[in-house]
Amino acid sequence: MRVAIAGAGLAGLSCAKYLTDAGYTPIVLESRDVLGGLVAAWKDKDGDWYETGLHIFFGAYPNMLQLLKELGIEDRLQWKEHTLIFNQPDNPGTYSRFDFPDIPAPWNGIIAILRNNDMLTWPEKIRFGIGLIPAMIQGQKYVEAMDRYSWREWMKKQNIPPRVEKEVFIAMSKALNFINPEEISATILLTALNRFLQERYGSKMAFLDGSPTERMCEPMVEYITSRGGEVRLNAPLKEILLNEDGTVKGYVIRGLHGASDEVVTADMYVSAMPVDVMKVMMPEPWKQIEFFQKLEGLEGVPVINLQLWFDRKLTDIDQLLFSRSPLLSVYADMSNTCRGYENPDKSMLELVLAPAADWIAKSDEEILQATLAELEKLFPDHFIGDNPTKLLKYHVVKTPRSVYKATPGRQQHRPEQVTPVSNFYLAGSYTMQRYLGSMEGAVLSGKLTAQAIAEAHPVAKSSSLQMQTLQPATNAATA
């Protein structure tokens, strides 16, 4: 049974991988000349990789970790010390850490918070802890219900001092969804806190040992194609053809460089495209269906990623850092954190600029100069003085529409993977699953889509597609 999948991001590739496991033949169609979607990467003329974003893997990503294990590439994750590191703007060049001891959750998280006296006072810690009690007692039902509040509104409702937001959660909001606490849904941060505090290694982080395209997506393609599936680049979807009953008749693929258009037909069809693209490609008759009308409440958030190569080492820290800058979100010295980018003498900083709405239309040079001004505050010893560091080269990658913008009320607009059209399914981190807009969410959505197809349209002798139990990642413990 053939399944045509539009989009070769993590959702589309994971859906195809699990469909092959269940005995189907997936045909993945990608409009661009690169794999990965929102985790795509390219090589420049010097042979250096540059990426769409700073992609971090957490111990609380069980489906992603299981996928890498099934592909035989789990050793490509470079696990870091279990800590969260924040810059201290009032004392440039210094850091504040939340170090998690290797003991069961939630005690490791509680101790990490209690031992940090740089950012929060004891009364603030106590008030924040009390505010979290309803989420810890009532669980996911409470977390979902809080989607009607922004994080700032929720904190005020729980009588948590505003300084807690300033010290910790501006940085976390921008890291999780590239927007500030007054915009982001409380559900997003409560979901992350639940995972971080309830799972022993939930907040432990890893970096891939190279570019996501080469080190993660290409092995997925090899897995799919070696089992009879197909992955095609430069195959942009032009139109979704319908039968008279509203079901999908075929995907029209636009011919490039003078070639004729092509119609790809299959038994089942999946959109693994971003929600903004899906809304544009939606056939007119579907726009009258309430299920698809809900998508109008979702849109991608703009993101800007920068990679800057310098003539010397700026830091030896081998970890993600929360900048606490008004302009920058998170950053890392990839020459320390990533084996594929390793350099003992020079730094390559990868930084996320967020919120990016006011910057997405500006020139690369404007974005660069604003970023360098912020870096002077983060690394004063290197950028100020008689012998300042020199920028060797840089790349700015703009994504006008990235993961869905998780403002309050978005949960009710997130669709299930199964649609009212009997032979058409959705995959993508914007669809309903517990990990929101993230790599884990994309992988889980693809798996859920494959499972839904396997249950509704079983093939002869197909293997049973088992869902990964959402438990803490044990391999993060010993890495």
Side-chain angles (χ1 to χ4, degrees), residues 272-413:
M273 302 178 291
V275 65
D276 300 277
V277 181
M278 177 57 209
K279 289 191 293 184
V280 172
M281 299 304 304
M282 190 184 303
E284 198 63 35
W286 291 2
K287 294 179 181 179
Q288 313 307 314
I289 301 173
E290 183 181 0
F291 177 92
F292 293 108
Q293 290 174 345
K294 291 196 307 180
L295 299 184
E296 290 303 319
L298 298 174
E299 66 176 20
V301 63
V303 176
I304 298 174
N305 193 63
L306 298 98
Q307 288 178 225
L308 301 93
W309 284 258
F310 294 98
D311 66 346
R312 69 194 66 174
K313 275 290 183 191
L314 301 182
T315 176
D316 292 320
I317 297 177
D318 180 12
Q319 180 58 285
L320 180 76
L321 295 114
F322 295 85
S323 74
R324 299 178 72 204
S325 149
L327 182 65
L328 305 175
S329 170
V330 290
Y331 69 98
D333 189 333
M334 301 296 280
S335 68
N336 300 329
T337 62
C338 178
R339 194 176 298 119
Y341 305 153
E342 185 177 3
N343 191 318
D345 303 314
K346 300 174 183 178
S347 281
M348 189 273 274
L349 295 187
E350 187 166 351
L351 312 101
V352 179
L353 189 153
D358 295 334
W359 289 89
I360 201 77
K362 294 185 184 293
S363 69
D364 289 358
E365 181 63 26
E366 288 178 289
I367 293 168
L368 172 66
Q369 293 306 320
T371 301
L372 291 175
E374 290 299 307
L375 289 180
E376 286 187 16
K377 302 171 187 175
L378 296 177
F379 302 101
D381 294 341
H382 294 280
F383 284 86
I384 301 172
D386 297 332
N387 184 29
T389 185
K390 293 181 177 62
L391 178 68
L392 301 177
K393 69 174 180 177
Y394 72 96
H395 290 288
V396 176
V397 180
K398 299 177 181 177
T399 306
R401 292 287 182 264
S402 182
V403 295
Y404 79 95
K405 188 175 182 181
T407 52
R410 293 317 94 198
Q411 291 292 89
Q412 63 183 321
H413 292 276

Side-chain angles (χ1 to χ4, degrees), residues 8 50 63 129 133 154 195 204 215 279 282 300 326 342 385 387:
Y50 59 100
N63 293 282
I133 289 175
W154 179 86
R195 302 277 68 77
K204 191 170 184 177
R215 302 297 287 168
K279 289 191 293 184
M282 190 184 303
E342 185 177 3
N387 184 29

Side-chain angles (χ1 to χ4, degrees), residues 408-429:
R410 293 317 94 198
Q411 291 292 89
Q412 63 183 321
H413 292 276
R414 298 177 67 197
E416 301 292 333
Q417 290 76 32
V418 179
T419 80
V421 179
S422 62
N423 67 344
F424 183 77
Y425 296 78
L426 297 176
S429 64

